[in-house]
Amino acid sequence: MRALICTFGFDADKIILAMKCIKHDHLVLVTGTDNLEHDSFDRISSLCQRLRTPFEVMTTDKFDVLASMSVFQDLVGRLRSEGFVVCMDIGGGVHTLSLAALLAALNLGVETWHIDRDPVRLPVLSGVSISSRLSSEQRALLLQIGPGARMDGLRLPGNRRDAVMRVLLELKRSGMVRVESALPDASVSLTEEGVVCRQNMMRGVPKADGFTG
């Protein structure tokens, strides 16, 4: 069984095109509560009823990237636990919601499409999460970075400062962390992508879908 998650704004045609282009047995719309009052939502709901396609809605603060990423991650985890292979279309809704969906998809290894006028499959490795692509040193350091973290408080086996600096630079280049300066007492913080990756490592990433061609 395949579940299709779509970001939704006010354009029903984008969702209908996604439903035509992407094979699915279950549809989930992720959107803001205000979007549910629009005629386009009623149109999609009616279509799912006619097609007898199971249909559900998840609401989120569509302008809050971190909150929306958490919604997407929990949703993917639940669907996978129910036996679904999950795919995602990020072509609908506001930019912030699409960004949250993409970051969650990258982190969890979800087959991802951007469907507007033409269907475009994005280069996300299905079944391969961001955290699984990190080295053991990168994961160890990422788990230590929280609010108020300082560079001189980070540790790796052997307590080699050169190793800490090297791994921090790798994480910075990958877009996971922000480093204020090269000074030992400089603050280190996670980017939005780094926060999501750290959250997944701390709570355990749900079993990934199988690879798709």
Side-chain angles (χ1 to χ4, degrees):
M1 295 189 300
R2 284 171 60 88
L4 171 60
I5 301 171
C6 293
T7 57
F8 174 61
F10 294 106
D11 192 342
D13 289 335
K14 290 184 179 181
I15 305 301
I16 293 170
L17 182 57
M19 292 174 68
K20 290 179 179 178
C21 294
I22 304 173
K23 181 181 177 181
H24 64 284
D25 307 287
H26 185 84
L27 177 68
V28 185
L29 297 187
V30 180
T31 188
T33 54
D34 59 318
N35 297 92
L36 304 181
E37 301 172 2
H38 200 273
D39 291 343
S40 59
F41 173 75
D42 294 333
R43 184 181 168 198
I44 297 167
S45 180
S46 297
L47 177 62
C48 288
Q49 289 178 4
R50 293 199 303 271
L51 296 175
R52 296 184 180 179
T53 300
F55 169 59
E56 63 177 298
V57 179
M58 299 292 295
T59 58
T60 183
D61 181 349
K62 59 190 178 183
F63 299 109
D64 187 325
V65 173
L66 291 181
S68 295
M69 279 193 290
S70 181
V71 168
F72 283 111
Q73 291 192 126
D74 290 344
L75 176 58
V76 170
R78 174 173 64 80
L79 291 170
R80 283 174 169 170
S81 71
E82 294 172 358
F84 287 101
V85 172
V86 182
C87 52
M88 192 179 296
D89 166 43
I90 65 170
V94 297
H95 174 74
T96 307
L97 187 61
S98 295
L99 175 60
L102 179 58
L103 289 174
L106 286 167
N107 199 46
L108 297 176
V110 177
E111 175 189 328
T112 306
W113 296 76
H114 184 283
I115 295 181
D116 192 344
R117 295 183 179 179
D118 299 306
V120 177
R121 182 168 177 177
L122 301 178
V124 177
L125 295 177
S126 182
V128 182
S129 68
I130 289 177
S131 56
S132 69
R133 299 199 295 270
L134 299 177
S135 69
S136 59
E137 288 183 324
Q138 290 172 335
R139 289 195 294 270
L141 215 56
L142 203 63
L143 287 172
Q144 298 176 49
I145 301 174
R150 298 193 341 170
M151 194 182 302
D152 55 8
L154 303 177
R155 297 287 184 271
L156 284 173
N159 200 28
R160 294 180 9 250
R161 299 310 301 165
D162 60 327
V164 170
M165 291 297 296
R166 171 180 56 79
V167 176
L168 267 181
L169 182 59
E170 293 169 354
L171 290 172
K172 182 179 180 181
R173 287 173 175 168
S174 67
M176 295 283 186
V177 303
R178 300 185 187 90
V179 182
E180 192 175 86
S181 72
L183 297 175
D185 61 349
S187 64
V188 182
S189 60
L190 298 175
T191 63
E192 292 170 342
E193 189 171 317
V195 168
V196 174
C197 189
R198 184 178 186 272
Q199 287 175 344
N200 280 337
M201 287 190 292
M202 292 182 70
R203 69 183 180 183
V205 180
K207 184 179 180 181
D209 292 337
F211 285 87
T212 59

mmCIF file with all atom_site columns, all heavy atoms in Angstrom, residues 179-200:
data_model
loop_
_atom_site.group_PDB
_atom_site.id
_atom_site.type_symbol
_atom_site.label_atom_id
_atom_site.label_alt_id
_atom_site.label_comp_id
_atom_site.label_asym_id
_atom_site.label_entity_id
_atom_site.label_seq_id
_atom_site.pdbx_PDB_ins_code
_atom_site.Cartn_x
_atom_site.Cartn_y
_atom_site.Cartn_z
_atom_site.occupancy
_atom_site.B_iso_or_equiv
_atom_site.pdbx_formal_charge
_atom_site.auth_seq_id
_atom_site.auth_comp_id
_atom_site.auth_asym_id
_atom_site.auth_atom_id
_atom_site.pdbx_PDB_model_num
ATOM 1   N N   . VAL A 1 179 ? 28.351 28.102 13.138 1.00 0.00 ? 179 VAL A N   1
ATOM 2   C CA  . VAL A 1 179 ? 29.455 28.362 14.068 1.00 0.00 ? 179 VAL A CA  1
ATOM 3   C C   . VAL A 1 179 ? 29.740 29.852 14.036 1.00 0.00 ? 179 VAL A C   1
ATOM 4   O O   . VAL A 1 179 ? 29.990 30.419 12.970 1.00 0.00 ? 179 VAL A O   1
ATOM 5   C CB  . VAL A 1 179 ? 30.718 27.561 13.684 1.00 0.00 ? 179 VAL A CB  1
ATOM 6   C CG1 . VAL A 1 179 ? 31.827 27.818 14.700 1.00 0.00 ? 179 VAL A CG1 1
ATOM 7   C CG2 . VAL A 1 179 ? 30.407 26.073 13.598 1.00 0.00 ? 179 VAL A CG2 1
ATOM 8   N N   . GLU A 1 180 ? 29.690 30.479 15.223 1.00 0.00 ? 180 GLU A N   1
ATOM 9   C CA  . GLU A 1 180 ? 29.818 31.935 15.310 1.00 0.00 ? 180 GLU A CA  1
ATOM 10  C C   . GLU A 1 180 ? 31.195 32.413 14.867 1.00 0.00 ? 180 GLU A C   1
ATOM 11  O O   . GLU A 1 180 ? 31.324 33.391 14.139 1.00 0.00 ? 180 GLU A O   1
ATOM 12  C CB  . GLU A 1 180 ? 29.535 32.373 16.748 1.00 0.00 ? 180 GLU A CB  1
ATOM 13  C CG  . GLU A 1 180 ? 29.358 33.859 16.923 1.00 0.00 ? 180 GLU A CG  1
ATOM 14  C CD  . GLU A 1 180 ? 28.964 34.193 18.347 1.00 0.00 ? 180 GLU A CD  1
ATOM 15  O OE1 . GLU A 1 180 ? 29.873 34.348 19.177 1.00 0.00 ? 180 GLU A OE1 1
ATOM 16  O OE2 . GLU A 1 180 ? 27.750 34.283 18.617 1.00 0.00 ? 180 GLU A OE2 1
ATOM 17  N N   . SER A 1 181 ? 32.234 31.726 15.318 1.00 0.00 ? 181 SER A N   1
ATOM 18  C CA  . SER A 1 181 ? 33.602 32.070 14.929 1.00 0.00 ? 181 SER A CA  1
ATOM 19  C C   . SER A 1 181 ? 34.499 30.878 15.241 1.00 0.00 ? 181 SER A C   1
ATOM 20  O O   . SER A 1 181 ? 34.029 29.838 15.704 1.00 0.00 ? 181 SER A O   1
ATOM 21  C CB  . SER A 1 181 ? 34.092 33.315 15.689 1.00 0.00 ? 181 SER A CB  1
ATOM 22  O OG  . SER A 1 181 ? 34.343 32.993 17.050 1.00 0.00 ? 181 SER A OG  1
ATOM 23  N N   . ALA A 1 182 ? 35.791 31.027 14.992 1.00 0.00 ? 182 ALA A N   1
ATOM 24  C CA  . ALA A 1 182 ? 36.736 29.941 15.254 1.00 0.00 ? 182 ALA A CA  1
ATOM 25  C C   . ALA A 1 182 ? 37.279 29.977 16.679 1.00 0.00 ? 182 ALA A C   1
ATOM 26  O O   . ALA A 1 182 ? 38.102 29.138 17.047 1.00 0.00 ? 182 ALA A O   1
ATOM 27  C CB  . ALA A 1 182 ? 37.899 30.013 14.257 1.00 0.00 ? 182 ALA A CB  1
ATOM 28  N N   . LEU A 1 183 ? 36.834 30.940 17.499 1.00 0.00 ? 183 LEU A N   1
ATOM 29  C CA  . LEU A 1 183 ? 37.328 31.031 18.872 1.00 0.00 ? 183 LEU A CA  1
ATOM 30  C C   . LEU A 1 183 ? 36.824 29.860 19.706 1.00 0.00 ? 183 LEU A C   1
ATOM 31  O O   . LEU A 1 183 ? 35.703 29.365 19.487 1.00 0.00 ? 183 LEU A O   1
ATOM 32  C CB  . LEU A 1 183 ? 36.858 32.340 19.508 1.00 0.00 ? 183 LEU A CB  1
ATOM 33  C CG  . LEU A 1 183 ? 37.382 33.626 18.852 1.00 0.00 ? 183 LEU A CG  1
ATOM 34  C CD1 . LEU A 1 183 ? 36.747 34.838 19.506 1.00 0.00 ? 183 LEU A CD1 1
ATOM 35  C CD2 . LEU A 1 183 ? 38.904 33.683 18.945 1.00 0.00 ? 183 LEU A CD2 1
ATOM 36  N N   . PRO A 1 184 ? 37.609 29.363 20.654 1.00 0.00 ? 184 PRO A N   1
ATOM 37  C CA  . PRO A 1 184 ? 37.208 28.193 21.458 1.00 0.00 ? 184 PRO A CA  1
ATOM 38  C C   . PRO A 1 184 ? 35.878 28.374 22.182 1.00 0.00 ? 184 PRO A C   1
ATOM 39  O O   . PRO A 1 184 ? 35.142 27.416 22.363 1.00 0.00 ? 184 PRO A O   1
ATOM 40  C CB  . PRO A 1 184 ? 38.370 28.040 22.448 1.00 0.00 ? 184 PRO A CB  1
ATOM 41  C CG  . PRO A 1 184 ? 39.542 28.670 21.761 1.00 0.00 ? 184 PRO A CG  1
ATOM 42  C CD  . PRO A 1 184 ? 38.975 29.822 20.979 1.00 0.00 ? 184 PRO A CD  1
ATOM 43  N N   . ASP A 1 185 ? 35.583 29.614 22.634 1.00 0.00 ? 185 ASP A N   1
ATOM 44  C CA  . ASP A 1 185 ? 34.347 29.829 23.382 1.00 0.00 ? 185 ASP A CA  1
ATOM 45  C C   . ASP A 1 185 ? 33.194 30.304 22.495 1.00 0.00 ? 185 ASP A C   1
ATOM 46  O O   . ASP A 1 185 ? 32.170 30.772 22.988 1.00 0.00 ? 185 ASP A O   1
ATOM 47  C CB  . ASP A 1 185 ? 34.576 30.834 24.515 1.00 0.00 ? 185 ASP A CB  1
ATOM 48  C CG  . ASP A 1 185 ? 35.019 32.202 24.008 1.00 0.00 ? 185 ASP A CG  1
ATOM 49  O OD1 . ASP A 1 185 ? 35.344 32.314 22.796 1.00 0.00 ? 185 ASP A OD1 1
ATOM 50  O OD2 . ASP A 1 185 ? 35.043 33.154 24.804 1.00 0.00 ? 185 ASP A OD2 1
ATOM 51  N N   . ALA A 1 186 ? 33.361 30.158 21.194 1.00 0.00 ? 186 ALA A N   1
ATOM 52  C CA  . ALA A 1 186 ? 32.312 30.577 20.268 1.00 0.00 ? 186 ALA A CA  1
ATOM 53  C C   . ALA A 1 186 ? 31.084 29.691 20.428 1.00 0.00 ? 186 ALA A C   1
ATOM 54  O O   . ALA A 1 186 ? 31.182 28.510 20.758 1.00 0.00 ? 186 ALA A O   1
ATOM 55  C CB  . ALA A 1 186 ? 32.828 30.515 18.832 1.00 0.00 ? 186 ALA A CB  1
ATOM 56  N N   . SER A 1 187 ? 29.914 30.273 20.191 1.00 0.00 ? 187 SER A N   1
ATOM 57  C CA  . SER A 1 187 ? 28.684 29.497 20.293 1.00 0.00 ? 187 SER A CA  1
ATOM 58  C C   . SER A 1 187 ? 28.458 28.686 19.017 1.00 0.00 ? 187 SER A C   1
ATOM 59  O O   . SER A 1 187 ? 28.859 29.086 17.926 1.00 0.00 ? 187 SER A O   1
ATOM 60  C CB  . SER A 1 187 ? 27.491 30.417 20.542 1.00 0.00 ? 187 SER A CB  1
ATOM 61  O OG  . SER A 1 187 ? 27.288 31.279 19.434 1.00 0.00 ? 187 SER A OG  1
ATOM 62  N N   . VAL A 1 188 ? 27.818 27.549 19.192 1.00 0.00 ? 188 VAL A N   1
ATOM 63  C CA  . VAL A 1 188 ? 27.491 26.646 18.090 1.00 0.00 ? 188 VAL A CA  1
ATOM 64  C C   . VAL A 1 188 ? 26.003 26.352 18.173 1.00 0.00 ? 188 VAL A C   1
ATOM 65  O O   . VAL A 1 188 ? 25.481 26.048 19.249 1.00 0.00 ? 188 VAL A O   1
ATOM 66  C CB  . VAL A 1 188 ? 28.285 25.330 18.180 1.00 0.00 ? 188 VAL A CB  1
ATOM 67  C CG1 . VAL A 1 188 ? 27.969 24.434 16.997 1.00 0.00 ? 188 VAL A CG1 1
ATOM 68  C CG2 . VAL A 1 188 ? 29.785 25.618 18.230 1.00 0.00 ? 188 VAL A CG2 1
ATOM 69  N N   . SER A 1 189 ? 25.311 26.451 17.052 1.00 0.00 ? 189 SER A N   1
ATOM 70  C CA  . SER A 1 189 ? 23.870 26.182 17.047 1.00 0.00 ? 189 SER A CA  1
ATOM 71  C C   . SER A 1 189 ? 23.501 25.329 15.844 1.00 0.00 ? 189 SER A C   1
ATOM 72  O O   . SER A 1 189 ? 24.259 25.223 14.872 1.00 0.00 ? 189 SER A O   1
ATOM 73  C CB  . SER A 1 189 ? 23.073 27.495 17.021 1.00 0.00 ? 189 SER A CB  1
ATOM 74  O OG  . SER A 1 189 ? 23.395 28.249 15.859 1.00 0.00 ? 189 SER A OG  1
ATOM 75  N N   . LEU A 1 190 ? 22.329 24.716 15.934 1.00 0.00 ? 190 LEU A N   1
ATOM 76  C CA  . LEU A 1 190 ? 21.845 23.878 14.849 1.00 0.00 ? 190 LEU A CA  1
ATOM 77  C C   . LEU A 1 190 ? 20.992 24.693 13.881 1.00 0.00 ? 190 LEU A C   1
ATOM 78  O O   . LEU A 1 190 ? 20.260 25.580 14.283 1.00 0.00 ? 190 LEU A O   1
ATOM 79  C CB  . LEU A 1 190 ? 20.994 22.730 15.402 1.00 0.00 ? 190 LEU A CB  1
ATOM 80  C CG  . LEU A 1 190 ? 21.692 21.740 16.336 1.00 0.00 ? 190 LEU A CG  1
ATOM 81  C CD1 . LEU A 1 190 ? 20.669 20.745 16.877 1.00 0.00 ? 190 LEU A CD1 1
ATOM 82  C CD2 . LEU A 1 190 ? 22.811 21.002 15.621 1.00 0.00 ? 190 LEU A CD2 1
ATOM 83  N N   . THR A 1 191 ? 21.100 24.376 12.607 1.00 0.00 ? 191 THR A N   1
ATOM 84  C CA  . THR A 1 191 ? 20.169 24.919 11.630 1.00 0.00 ? 191 THR A CA  1
ATOM 85  C C   . THR A 1 191 ? 18.846 24.159 11.759 1.00 0.00 ? 191 THR A C   1
ATOM 86  O O   . THR A 1 191 ? 18.745 23.196 12.520 1.00 0.00 ? 191 THR A O   1
ATOM 87  C CB  . THR A 1 191 ? 20.709 24.743 10.206 1.00 0.00 ? 191 THR A CB  1
ATOM 88  O OG1 . THR A 1 191 ? 20.838 23.340 9.931  1.00 0.00 ? 191 THR A OG1 1
ATOM 89  C CG2 . THR A 1 191 ? 22.078 25.415 10.058 1.00 0.00 ? 191 THR A CG2 1
ATOM 90  N N   . GLU A 1 192 ? 17.832 24.572 11.020 1.00 0.00 ? 192 GLU A N   1
ATOM 91  C CA  . GLU A 1 192 ? 16.548 23.871 11.054 1.00 0.00 ? 192 GLU A CA  1
ATOM 92  C C   . GLU A 1 192 ? 16.726 22.404 10.646 1.00 0.00 ? 192 GLU A C   1
ATOM 93  O O   . GLU A 1 192 ? 16.138 21.498 11.243 1.00 0.00 ? 192 GLU A O   1
ATOM 94  C CB  . GLU A 1 192 ? 15.541 24.568 10.135 1.00 0.00 ? 192 GLU A CB  1
ATOM 95  C CG  . GLU A 1 192 ? 15.129 25.940 10.645 1.00 0.00 ? 192 GLU A CG  1
ATOM 96  C CD  . GLU A 1 192 ? 14.325 26.726 9.638  1.00 0.00 ? 192 GLU A CD  1
ATOM 97  O OE1 . GLU A 1 192 ? 14.374 26.365 8.441  1.00 0.00 ? 192 GLU A OE1 1
ATOM 98  O OE2 . GLU A 1 192 ? 13.645 27.684 10.033 1.00 0.00 ? 192 GLU A OE2 1
ATOM 99  N N   . GLU A 1 193 ? 17.538 22.183 9.624  1.00 0.00 ? 193 GLU A N   1
ATOM 100 C CA  . GLU A 1 193 ? 17.790 20.807 9.187  1.00 0.00 ? 193 GLU A CA  1
ATOM 101 C C   . GLU A 1 193 ? 18.524 20.024 10.264 1.00 0.00 ? 193 GLU A C   1
ATOM 102 O O   . GLU A 1 193 ? 18.234 18.845 10.508 1.00 0.00 ? 193 GLU A O   1
ATOM 103 C CB  . GLU A 1 193 ? 18.615 20.821 7.889  1.00 0.00 ? 193 GLU A CB  1
ATOM 104 C CG  . GLU A 1 193 ? 18.763 19.464 7.232  1.00 0.00 ? 193 GLU A CG  1
ATOM 105 C CD  . GLU A 1 193 ? 19.400 19.565 5.863  1.00 0.00 ? 193 GLU A CD  1
ATOM 106 O OE1 . GLU A 1 193 ? 19.024 20.470 5.092  1.00 0.00 ? 193 GLU A OE1 1
ATOM 107 O OE2 . GLU A 1 193 ? 20.269 18.739 5.565  1.00 0.00 ? 193 GLU A OE2 1
ATOM 108 N N   . GLY A 1 194 ? 19.470 20.675 10.932 1.00 0.00 ? 194 GLY A N   1
ATOM 109 C CA  . GLY A 1 194 ? 20.198 20.011 12.007 1.00 0.00 ? 194 GLY A CA  1
ATOM 110 C C   . GLY A 1 194 ? 19.308 19.650 13.179 1.00 0.00 ? 194 GLY A C   1
ATOM 111 O O   . GLY A 1 194 ? 19.459 18.593 13.792 1.00 0.00 ? 194 GLY A O   1
ATOM 112 N N   . VAL A 1 195 ? 18.350 20.534 13.505 1.00 0.00 ? 195 VAL A N   1
ATOM 113 C CA  . VAL A 1 195 ? 17.408 20.257 14.591 1.00 0.00 ? 195 VAL A CA  1
ATOM 114 C C   . VAL A 1 195 ? 16.600 19.007 14.291 1.00 0.00 ? 195 VAL A C   1
ATOM 115 O O   . VAL A 1 195 ? 16.433 18.120 15.138 1.00 0.00 ? 195 VAL A O   1
ATOM 116 C CB  . VAL A 1 195 ? 16.463 21.464 14.816 1.00 0.00 ? 195 VAL A CB  1
ATOM 117 C CG1 . VAL A 1 195 ? 15.312 21.076 15.728 1.00 0.00 ? 195 VAL A CG1 1
ATOM 118 C CG2 . VAL A 1 195 ? 17.233 22.639 15.409 1.00 0.00 ? 195 VAL A CG2 1
ATOM 119 N N   . VAL A 1 196 ? 16.086 18.906 13.068 1.00 0.00 ? 196 VAL A N   1
ATOM 120 C CA  . VAL A 1 196 ? 15.281 17.754 12.687 1.00 0.00 ? 196 VAL A CA  1
ATOM 121 C C   . VAL A 1 196 ? 16.112 16.471 12.734 1.00 0.00 ? 196 VAL A C   1
ATOM 122 O O   . VAL A 1 196 ? 15.669 15.436 13.243 1.00 0.00 ? 196 VAL A O   1
ATOM 123 C CB  . VAL A 1 196 ? 14.688 17.949 11.276 1.00 0.00 ? 196 VAL A CB  1
ATOM 124 C CG1 . VAL A 1 196 ? 13.974 16.685 10.815 1.00 0.00 ? 196 VAL A CG1 1
ATOM 125 C CG2 . VAL A 1 196 ? 13.726 19.120 11.273 1.00 0.00 ? 196 VAL A CG2 1
ATOM 126 N N   . CYS A 1 197 ? 17.330 16.548 12.222 1.00 0.00 ? 197 CYS A N   1
ATOM 127 C CA  . CYS A 1 197 ? 18.203 15.376 12.224 1.00 0.00 ? 197 CYS A CA  1
ATOM 128 C C   . CYS A 1 197 ? 18.514 14.931 13.651 1.00 0.00 ? 197 CYS A C   1
ATOM 129 O O   . CYS A 1 197 ? 18.479 13.742 13.976 1.00 0.00 ? 197 CYS A O   1
ATOM 130 C CB  . CYS A 1 197 ? 19.480 15.705 11.466 1.00 0.00 ? 197 CYS A CB  1
ATOM 131 S SG  . CYS A 1 197 ? 20.557 14.278 11.170 1.00 0.00 ? 197 CYS A SG  1
ATOM 132 N N   . ARG A 1 198 ? 18.799 15.876 14.537 1.00 0.00 ? 198 ARG A N   1
ATOM 133 C CA  . ARG A 1 198 ? 19.092 15.549 15.935 1.00 0.00 ? 198 ARG A CA  1
ATOM 134 C C   . ARG A 1 198 ? 17.880 14.943 16.625 1.00 0.00 ? 198 ARG A C   1
ATOM 135 O O   . ARG A 1 198 ? 18.001 13.968 17.386 1.00 0.00 ? 198 ARG A O   1
ATOM 136 C CB  . ARG A 1 198 ? 19.555 16.805 16.673 1.00 0.00 ? 198 ARG A CB  1
ATOM 137 C CG  . ARG A 1 198 ? 19.984 16.580 18.126 1.00 0.00 ? 198 ARG A CG  1
ATOM 138 C CD  . ARG A 1 198 ? 20.464 17.886 18.735 1.00 0.00 ? 198 ARG A CD  1
ATOM 139 N NE  . ARG A 1 198 ? 21.012 17.684 20.066 1.00 0.00 ? 198 ARG A NE  1
ATOM 140 C CZ  . ARG A 1 198 ? 20.294 17.702 21.184 1.00 0.00 ? 198 ARG A CZ  1
ATOM 141 N NH1 . ARG A 1 198 ? 18.989 17.914 21.128 1.00 0.00 ? 198 ARG A NH1 1
ATOM 142 N NH2 . ARG A 1 198 ? 20.874 17.515 22.364 1.00 0.00 ? 198 ARG A NH2 1
ATOM 143 N N   . GLN A 1 199 ? 16.703 15.500 16.354 1.00 0.00 ? 199 GLN A N   1
ATOM 144 C CA  . GLN A 1 199 ? 15.484 14.960 16.948 1.00 0.00 ? 199 GLN A CA  1
ATOM 145 C C   . GLN A 1 199 ? 15.281 13.506 16.538 1.00 0.00 ? 199 GLN A C   1
ATOM 146 O O   . GLN A 1 199 ? 14.904 12.663 17.359 1.00 0.00 ? 199 GLN A O   1
ATOM 147 C CB  . GLN A 1 199 ? 14.275 15.798 16.513 1.00 0.00 ? 199 GLN A CB  1
ATOM 148 C CG  . GLN A 1 199 ? 14.195 17.163 17.173 1.00 0.00 ? 199 GLN A CG  1
ATOM 149 C CD  . GLN A 1 199 ? 13.062 18.000 16.618 1.00 0.00 ? 199 GLN A CD  1
ATOM 150 O OE1 . GLN A 1 199 ? 12.515 17.708 15.550 1.00 0.00 ? 199 GLN A OE1 1
ATOM 151 N NE2 . GLN A 1 199 ? 12.706 19.058 17.335 1.00 0.00 ? 199 GLN A NE2 1
ATOM 152 N N   . ASN A 1 200 ? 15.531 13.222 15.281 1.00 0.00 ? 200 ASN A N   1
ATOM 153 C CA  . ASN A 1 200 ? 15.350 11.854 14.799 1.00 0.00 ? 200 ASN A CA  1
ATOM 154 C C   . ASN A 1 200 ? 16.339 10.894 15.432 1.00 0.00 ? 200 ASN A C   1
ATOM 155 O O   . ASN A 1 200 ? 15.991 9.761  15.770 1.00 0.00 ? 200 ASN A O   1
ATOM 156 C CB  . ASN A 1 200 ? 15.495 11.810 13.278 1.00 0.00 ? 200 ASN A CB  1
ATOM 157 C CG  . ASN A 1 200 ? 14.240 12.249 12.571 1.00 0.00 ? 200 ASN A CG  1
ATOM 158 O OD1 . ASN A 1 200 ? 13.159 12.193 13.134 1.00 0.00 ? 200 ASN A OD1 1
ATOM 159 N ND2 . ASN A 1 200 ? 14.377 12.713 11.352 1.00 0.00 ? 200 ASN A ND2 1
#
